[in-house]
Amino acid sequence: MIATREHSHSRHHRQELPREAEPPRLLGSPGRWLWLGVGVLALLLFFSLAGDDWFTIVNYCLIAAIATLALNLLSGYTGQISLGLAFFMGLGGYTAALLGGNPPVGPLDPWGLGLPVFVWLPAAGLVAALVGALVGPSALRLRGFYLGIVTLALVFIGNYLFRNLRFITGGPQGRNFPVPTFGSVSLDQQNSLLGIALTSGQQYFLLMLLVLLLSALFVYNLSRSRVGRAMRAVRDHEVGAAIMGVNLFEVKMGAFVVSSFLAGVAGALYVSYARYVIPDYWSLSLSIQFVAAIIIGGIADVWGSILGAAFVFALPQIIDYFSLLPPSTGGGGLSSGDLNALLYGLLIIVFLLFEPGGVIGLLRRLRPTARRLRPVGAGVGKAAVNEGGENIEVVDLLQHAPESGEEGRGPRGGRTS
Amino acid sequence: MVTKRFLFTCILILLAGLPILAGCAGSSTGSTTGGLKAGPGVDLNKKTITLGILSPYSGPVAGPVGIPIANGVKAFFYHVNDHGGINGFKVQFIEQDTQYSPQLEVQKYNQIRNQVLMIADSLGTQPTFAIKDLAAADHMLVSAATLSSALAREKYLILVGTPYRLQVENAFDYIVNKLGVKNPDTAIIYQNDDYGQDGLTGYREAVSVYHLHDVAQVSFAVNDTDFTAQVAQLKASGAKYVFMTTLPTATATIIATAYKLGYNPQWILQSPAFSIQLLAVPALKPLISRAWVVSQGAAWGDTSVPGMKQMLEDQAKYFPKQQPDGYFEFGYAESYVTYAILKKAMENGDLTRDGLFRAFESLQSVDMGGLLPPAHYGSTPDQRVPTRDSVIYQVDATQPAGVKPISPDFTGVAASQSHF
Amino acid sequence: MAYFLQLVFAGIAQGCIYALIGLGFSIIFKASQVINFAQGELLLVGTYIVASAVLNWHLPFLLALPLGLLVTVVIGLLFERLVLRRMIGRPPFTILMITIGLDIILRTLVIVGWGSRTIPAATPFSVTSGFNVAGVHLGSSDLWTIAVTVVLCAALYYFFRHTRYGLAMRATALDQEAALAIGIDVRTVYALAWGLAAAITTLGGVLLAIDSLAIDPNFGNAALVAFPAIILGGLDSISGAVVGGVIIGLTSVLTAGYESRLPAVIGTGLHEVTPYLLMILILLIRPYGLFGSRKVERV
């Protein structure tokens, strides 16, 4: 009953605002809180039960989610295509390596200052943001695929620099990174936090989760602010946005710089977690994986970014984990890794064909009541509430029914042309 | 309704979590029965030892390198299992596909680290580099299928064979000291990655030790498809001996391009630059037949060494589809060392990771049935380079492995002095 | 001087390959405003088919080539018919992603079907065939590459100016709705674009493989180098792709030929980035490439 009352209240509140002014809320309705509760419980269960193997998969996925948020901010919210995310991640990664790395022992070892995590983590973001601010003005003059290919060029130029700046990167052979430490607490040892003994995987998990939460909240709040609306306006119609008084250059630059910052942080976290980094890692295919993540997860959506990262970075591992095929077939033929790659390619195609809204769109459509009630409209929604039990779904439905309006493109739009 | 749904969800999550829980509980770390101390991966009741294999099983590196090496490792231990095991213990494997990616290697390592006693095969320099700190923290021995000299400094990594760097040095020792060519005009063409870098380091050491007349050091990118510019440089430099730190596809294109431009130096191929597949290229076959390959050990089918007959039998029995392949031989030879460590640890009554490490440190020397020269192990980085010798082969299409030795097994001056 | 001329010749021949691959990108982009990331893998499949046809099935090269083209054209058409046609009207970025899906599938199929070892490529010439002029070797395969590119460009020029379907494609590229209004079957145009692009790209791959002698599953990466070429020339311009291809080929080969004479600070691998640097420089002056139209802005 409480749920129902809050629902009507929130609906009342919503009706006063024009639709465009308020994108779907991150949290806010009781239904959302319930899902959050389930999510937190699942996280807690995972946290206390999972083995190190699972933490490895999930921790990389958390890092990837931060980078996916960065790309979604630039491409999803603001509409600026970028294939250069790997370059900015690399910048962050090597900034961290230079600041946090071990001081050189031999003459050929790369430099390292051995500074603590409080220094290198923000510095990684700042350096990436700074380079973003330098590159931005010329890159953002370009539009569409031209911008995409110029940012792709950044990846190749970055790779060349990373391979040759040996004193920072260690050259093609790569360099190591020390275990991050907080004072006397070293993340690769078992440590206790508030009296609970935590494994290395759990500690990294907490660190990554914290950074991801901060990033997600930041992107979410930004997207709901005036700036966020300006970003969407730029994406949907540049000329229109300019007429409305949006400063195109400022908005695009802002998105570019903030996105670079987050990418830099993600890169630094990656290096600190993998504890080894080679120039080849920051490749075009890494960039493309993030493009895949935002498109598959859901454009311009915080949850979509996180789910997209899970789809792209964790799913292949999970498929592999539960694979029934042996890794090797003895002599040629289809190995489980090849089968995974095939499945993965097919999944991308099938998914994008049948679910334009991405994973997040699919989840919203999958709510059983949502489909049933969609054509009925808000007026009849009240009756559905009285059916009892299902009211949670109704609340969510009402908040998300017009999701196609948010994206500005009908789910089946233009299909007939 | 709400609570019912909620409960249902919780139960689902719990159910999903149970196997994980079971997995955690299963990974006990040490028990003792009958005077034998056992570490992770050892089951004293079933008498099994579980080893890990981290190798690309899919992707471009899998077919030519990853799978043959893993097959070699498995063939060796299948033979051991069928002949009574190691003191009655059977060896089994957990295999993980790393796709040659350092990141996946770390993930897969973490997945299996509690279930295996040691890693019997970790393929590739970069992937192995990525797990070396994790392995050291776990006291996990890792048998690394790589010839990179950069790994010699690592305590828990076991190398087999002569590093790339020393291969280059031995090749020029052959030219200067065996063939008696003074101050030859030499050059190197290398791909600009870590593998090429190792070759280049060896080349530079060789230049100063043997007073080579270095006329060109030419690099190319891994994605290059046209090598005219690089070959034109080599031609203009007039180098008589050109060392190639390349991979087979680039080897083919470079040699053909040079021939086209009327340039025919003595090509010397780093061991991975050659593949028997190159002899299947009709236009290339006559061109490459003058080339040398620096490698070591017995050529496939050379039954004058004691281990070859056994290896060929095991290959025919366990992997009948396997073609003659130096990488299979490498994996098979690599396993002699793994076997020696396990055997020694078993004799010491200590099948824990630390027990294995102590066994490894006390090995001194391992005979690999002549497939590779005997390996020597010690505790300093210089002693951790197991062998420093090479054999120079000439490409020869009539041989099963496509090469025949033209030099004895030898260690050059530079290679014996080189520090790691 | 002979050294320089040799490099220039190699650069032009290499540039023609980029031009052919770039043409494939441009034709598809012109018709459907999509960059096809599976281009490199179409080329890979085609080259492998031709190699197998010649070396395993013992077909003559001139029969194997059309077979390879046929297979990739069929793949292109099927993909267009089964997948892309349902994606019309979706954001270009989503369609780009779907071509990446195809890319992954094709590449894996090649690895499963042929293994990942180096295999011989099909080549109709002996390695040394060609002419020597003033110390410069003009190889047959390079001469053929240049000739094929020139002839193909002339044919495409005629096709787009003077044939029914060519004009229909240009009309569709200019304004899809107007094209529909005057009775042009836009679906046929899309199918045509995909078929044509697949064939031209495969041709580029087969010509490239002749010089390589051997191929492996990374061969498709050659298409990556064509990116700066098409952007340099202008994404939607056919002649731009050709001019861009030759410029990029020359830049890359000349840098590779002289980079070792530069100071050591420059490091290795400069020739990999000079095409991109040149591309950025040109975009700074002309944001739509040398021959591109401003229309692309609306995409």
Side-chain angles (χ1 to χ4, degrees):
Chain A
M1 278 316 284
I2 293 167
T4 315
R5 212 171 295 139
E6 280 194 9
H7 147 243
S8 55
H9 170 75
S10 83
R11 190 159 62 99
H12 179 66
H13 177 64
R14 293 177 65 79
Q15 280 166 345
E16 293 174 356
L17 287 167
R19 174 100 259 149
E20 255 309 298
E22 195 184 25
R25 295 166 145 225
L26 194 66
L27 299 167
S29 67
R32 287 254 159 174
W33 281 107
L34 184 87
W35 281 110
L36 183 76
V38 172
V40 167
L41 192 77
L43 271 184
L44 275 176
L45 276 171
F46 170 81
F47 187 75
S48 47
L49 296 181
D52 262 2
D53 44 357
W54 280 101
F55 273 109
T56 322
I57 295 176
V58 170
N59 288 354
Y60 276 118
C61 185
L62 292 177
I63 300 171
I66 299 167
T68 310
L69 274 172
L71 186 66
N72 221 337
L73 192 69
L74 182 61
S75 301
Y77 289 100
T78 323
Q80 306 300 306
I81 293 180
S82 169
L83 289 168
L85 199 75
F87 169 68
F88 292 102
M89 289 180 71
L91 284 178
Y94 284 121
T95 305
L98 180 63
L99 295 178
N102 285 327
V105 183
L108 291 176
D109 292 343
W111 298 354
L113 300 176
L115 297 171
V117 59
F118 313 107
V119 179
W120 57 252
L121 193 55
L126 287 176
V127 168
L130 188 71
V131 175
L134 288 176
V135 177
S138 30
L140 292 169
R141 285 176 64 214
L142 305 166
R143 297 194 179 126
F145 283 117
Y146 283 91
L147 177 62
I149 304 287
V150 165
T151 48
L152 177 149
L154 285 181
V155 173
F156 283 91
I157 294 168
N159 202 273
Y160 163 74
L161 291 175
F162 297 155
R163 258 187 282 113
N164 286 297
L165 294 174
R166 281 160 195 285
F167 62 100
I168 297 175
T169 65
Q173 292 186 337
R175 71 173 290 168
N176 285 95
F177 192 81
V179 185
T181 51
F182 291 89
S184 62
V185 177
S186 167
L187 286 194
D188 71 331
Q189 305 295 322
Q190 190 131 24
N191 288 303
S192 62
L193 183 75
L194 308 171
I196 309 163
L198 298 176
T199 65
S200 167
Q202 288 171 326
Q203 295 166 55
Y204 274 108
F205 177 80
L206 288 180
L207 175 66
M208 310 301 180
L209 192 67
L210 181 72
V211 180
L212 174 61
L213 273 179
L214 289 176
S215 316
L217 275 176
F218 173 73
V219 171
Y220 173 70
N221 282 327
L222 189 70
S223 75
R224 282 167 53 87
S225 70
R226 211 174 65 83
V227 181
R229 287 192 292 275
M231 279 160 51
R232 270 189 292 273
V234 169
R235 175 193 68 192
D236 293 339
H237 205 293
E238 277 198 16
V239 181
I243 292 170
M244 275 156 51
V246 173
N247 185 332
L248 293 182
F249 181 75
E250 261 179 26
V251 170
K252 287 188 194 175
M253 268 303 281
F256 201 67
V257 170
V258 172
S259 158
S260 304
F261 180 88
L262 287 178
V265 168
L269 285 176
Y270 172 80
V271 170
S272 75
Y273 189 52
R275 297 190 35 213
Y276 172 65
V277 56
I278 50 170
D280 285 355
Y281 180 73
W282 317 107
S283 64
L284 178 62
S285 60
L286 183 71
S287 279
I288 287 178
Q289 281 182 301
F290 290 109
V291 177
I294 63 165
I295 292 174
I296 292 173
I299 298 262
D301 192 292
V302 169
W303 287 113
S305 303
I306 296 167
L307 293 172
F311 187 101
V312 171
F313 291 88
L315 192 65
Q317 302 312 315
I318 295 172
I319 297 179
D320 194 38
Y321 195 83
F322 291 110
S323 176
L324 297 175
L325 281 173
S328 164
T329 50
L334 188 71
S335 71
S336 75
D338 294 328
L339 183 67
N340 285 347
L342 280 181
L343 279 180
Y344 182 59
L346 268 178
L347 215 53
I348 289 180
I349 293 181
V350 170
F351 206 91
L352 293 181
L353 261 184
F354 298 107
E355 188 45 73
V359 179
I360 199 80
L362 180 73
L363 283 183
R364 284 176 187 154
R365 281 204 305 149
L366 278 186
R367 307 254 170 86
T369 46
R371 195 174 300 154
R372 204 179 337 134
L373 291 172
R374 184 183 288 272
V376 183
V380 197
K382 194 82 179 165
V385 171
N386 294 334
E387 283 174 10
E390 305 280 40
N391 52 359
I392 306 305
E393 275 70 31
V394 174
V395 172
D396 271 333
L397 161 74
L398 289 177
Q399 283 200 348
H400 297 295
E403 78 196 36
S404 53
E406 145 70 6
E407 191 25 49
R409 301 174 183 104
R412 305 261 171 232
R415 186 150 166 210
T416 47
S417 60
Chain B
M1 273 301 270
V2 178
T3 42
K4 215 171 181 181
R5 229 166 222 275
F6 184 68
L7 269 177
F8 185 67
T9 319
C10 290
I11 290 167
L12 261 183
I13 293 167
L14 272 175
L15 280 179
L18 273 179
I20 304 165
L21 193 64
C24 294
S27 61
S28 58
T29 47
S31 54
T32 316
T33 321
L36 190 60
K37 278 207 285 180
V42 180
D43 191 325
L44 293 173
N45 299 320
K46 289 193 200 140
K47 296 199 113 182
T48 59
I49 299 171
T50 307
L51 306 179
I53 294 183
L54 297 169
S55 167
Y57 285 103
S58 64
V61 190
V65 188
I67 293 173
I69 292 188
N71 284 353
V73 173
K74 286 188 283 181
F76 182 94
F77 281 104
Y78 290 167
H79 172 92
V80 169
N81 287 349
D82 287 351
H83 293 77
I86 310 173
N87 292 6
F89 277 78
K90 304 261 163 138
V91 173
Q92 56 190 31
F93 295 98
I94 296 183
E95 298 168 65
Q96 292 287 348
D97 179 9
T98 64
Q99 296 171 24
Y100 208 65
S101 137
Q103 188 204 323
L104 275 181
E105 174 107 359
V106 173
Q107 286 189 14
K108 306 291 182 169
Y109 175 82
N110 275 319
Q111 276 181 24
I112 64 171
R113 55 190 274 262
N114 289 328
Q115 302 157 42
V116 298
L117 184 58
M118 70 173 273
I119 306 289
D121 171 27
S122 164
L123 183 84
T125 310
Q126 292 175 351
T128 307
F129 228 100
I131 59 161
K132 70 183 175 58
D133 288 355
L134 300 171
D138 290 343
H139 294 200
M140 175 94 83
L141 279 175
V142 177
S143 182
T146 156
L147 298 180
S148 166
S149 57
L151 292 164
R153 282 178 230 130
E154 303 303 322
K155 203 171 151 191
Y156 285 92
L157 296 189
I158 306 165
L159 294 180
V160 181
T162 305
Y164 298 130
R165 191 172 131 189
L166 304 188
Q167 284 187 345
V168 190
E169 293 167 17
N170 285 335
F172 288 105
D173 190 275
Y174 176 74
I175 293 162
V176 174
N177 291 339
K178 302 280 188 302
L179 299 182
V181 186
K182 293 291 163 235
N183 308 105
D185 293 335
T186 60
I188 182 171
I189 178 163
Y190 62 99
Q191 62 180 49
N192 58 352
D193 64 359
D194 62 318
Y195 161 58
Q197 211 57 48
D198 217 15
L200 183 65
T201 310
Y203 178 74
R204 287 184 175 152
E205 284 185 357
V207 167
S208 72
V209 173
Y210 298 113
H211 308 290
L212 308 176
H213 184 227
D214 167 37
V215 288
Q217 299 177 5
V218 181
S219 76
F220 64 92
V222 178
N223 278 339
D224 280 353
T225 45
D226 181 272
F227 297 93
T228 313
Q230 286 85 352
V231 171
Q233 275 177 70
L234 291 173
K235 186 189 175 192
S237 76
K240 299 276 189 305
Y241 298 90
V242 180
F243 199 91
M244 303 178 80
T245 308
T246 56
L247 290 175
T249 309
T251 309
T253 315
I254 291 167
I255 292 182
T257 307
Y259 195 76
K260 203 159 49 172
L261 300 187
Y263 176 54
N264 296 295
Q266 176 63 56
W267 301 106
I268 312 156
L269 278 56
Q270 191 102 57
S271 56
F274 181 72
S275 154
I276 193 162
Q277 298 290 109
L278 293 181
L279 290 169
V281 184
L284 189 66
K285 204 166 150 183
L287 312 185
I288 202 174
S289 291
R290 280 188 59 240
W292 298 342
V293 182
V294 202
S295 186
Q296 66 185 144
W300 186 279
D302 175 6
T303 42
S304 66
V305 298
M308 182 62 73
K309 191 166 155 284
Q310 190 61 60
M311 184 190 87
L312 293 177
E313 278 173 19
D314 290 342
Q315 175 257 316
K317 184 170 172 192
Y318 302 112
F319 295 96
K321 281 193 264 169
Q322 176 69 50
Q323 300 290 310
D325 191 319
Y327 287 109
F328 179 91
E329 191 179 335
F330 184 92
Y332 196 88
E334 179 187 13
S335 304
Y336 273 94
V337 181
T338 311
Y339 176 79
I341 295 169
L342 292 174
K343 181 103 178 148
K344 184 120 189 176
M346 192 87 75
E347 282 161 10
N348 297 341
D350 189 355
L351 269 186
T352 61
R353 293 214 179 122
D354 286 330
L356 250 61
F357 182 71
R358 277 191 292 276
F360 171 58
E361 289 244 287
S362 64
L363 271 185
Q364 309 280 352
S365 161
V366 181
D367 180 75
M368 295 187 242
L371 298 177
L372 287 178
H376 303 276
Y377 296 101
S379 45
T380 69
D382 279 346
Q383 293 168 339
R384 302 179 59 77
V385 175
T387 56
R388 291 173 179 242
D389 52 339
S390 299
V391 177
I392 312 293
Y393 299 84
Q394 176 150 11
V395 177
D396 184 343
T398 60
Q399 302 291 316
V403 291
K404 74 161 193 275
I406 54 171
S407 85
D409 186 277
F410 69 99
T411 304
V413 182
S416 56
Q417 296 168 350
S418 216
H419 287 294
F420 288 85
Chain C
M1 193 59 192
Y3 179 74
F4 176 74
L5 289 177
Q6 185 74 62
L7 293 189
V8 168
F9 178 70
I12 292 174
Q14 189 69 10
C16 285
I17 305 266
Y18 296 150
L20 290 177
I21 300 170
L23 275 174
F25 281 113
S26 288
I27 290 172
I28 290 181
F29 187 84
K30 224 171 145 61
S32 47
Q33 271 73 52
V34 170
I35 290 192
N36 171 24
F37 263 74
Q39 199 91 333
E41 312 310 314
L42 278 173
L43 171 161
L44 181 72
V45 172
T47 314
Y48 264 77
I49 297 268
V50 174
S52 274
V54 169
L55 295 152
N56 301 342
W57 312 327
H58 305 291
L59 291 180
F61 184 81
L62 284 178
L63 257 169
L65 179 63
L67 182 71
L69 295 185
L70 185 72
V71 171
T72 51
V73 167
V74 167
I75 295 175
L77 289 181
L78 278 179
F79 186 64
E80 194 279 331
R81 179 71 193 83
L82 297 178
V83 178
L84 286 174
R85 194 165 292 180
R86 295 159 203 265
M87 299 290 290
I88 292 174
R90 296 274 197 85
F93 224 28
T94 310
I95 304 181
L96 178 148
M97 201 58 233
I98 233 171
T99 64
I100 291 174
L102 177 68
D103 176 279
I104 297 172
I105 292 175
L106 289 181
R107 186 186 170 88
T108 315
L109 284 179
V110 166
I111 290 178
V112 171
W114 279 276
S116 40
R117 289 158 180 272
T118 298
I119 70 159
T123 154
F125 312 110
S126 82
V127 175
T128 44
S129 72
F131 312 95
N132 280 307
V133 182
V136 178
H137 179 80
L138 309 176
S140 299
S141 57
D142 291 340
L143 290 173
W144 270 101
T145 303
I146 296 170
V148 165
T149 312
V150 169
V151 170
L152 202 70
C153 286
L156 280 177
Y157 184 82
Y158 180 81
F159 175 76
F160 282 117
R161 299 265 155 176
H162 300 290
T163 65
R164 212 176 118 84
Y165 286 109
L167 287 169
M169 283 178 81
R170 283 176 61 210
T172 314
L174 214 58
D175 191 329
Q176 189 180 321
E177 279 172 32
L180 277 167
I182 58 168
I184 291 173
D185 185 358
V186 175
R187 291 183 204 175
T188 315
V189 166
Y190 284 176
L192 200 61
W194 272 81
L196 208 56
I200 294 175
T201 306
T202 307
L203 193 62
V206 173
L207 287 170
L208 181 62
I210 291 177
D211 256 354
S212 299
L213 279 191
I215 46 177
D216 61 38
N218 290 324
F219 190 68
N221 291 351
L224 283 182
V225 195
F227 275 131
I230 49 169
I231 294 288
L232 193 83
L235 256 177
D236 58 342
S237 162
I238 303 287
S239 45
V242 177
V243 176
V246 173
I247 292 178
I248 292 302
L250 279 172
T251 312
S252 159
V253 172
L254 285 175
T255 325
Y258 290 99
E259 74 182 27
S260 62
R261 303 186 189 182
L262 298 171
V265 182
I266 299 296
T268 60
L270 184 67
H271 66 281
E272 266 193 302
V273 291
T274 40
Y276 286 102
L277 292 174
L278 186 69
M279 174 191 90
I280 291 177
L281 196 71
I282 289 193
L283 284 184
L284 283 179
I285 304 163
R286 291 182 63 90
Y288 302 97
L290 290 176
F291 299 93
S293 59
R294 294 191 73 88
K295 186 185 82 71
V296 183
E297 178 180 349
R298 269 190 267 134
V299 172

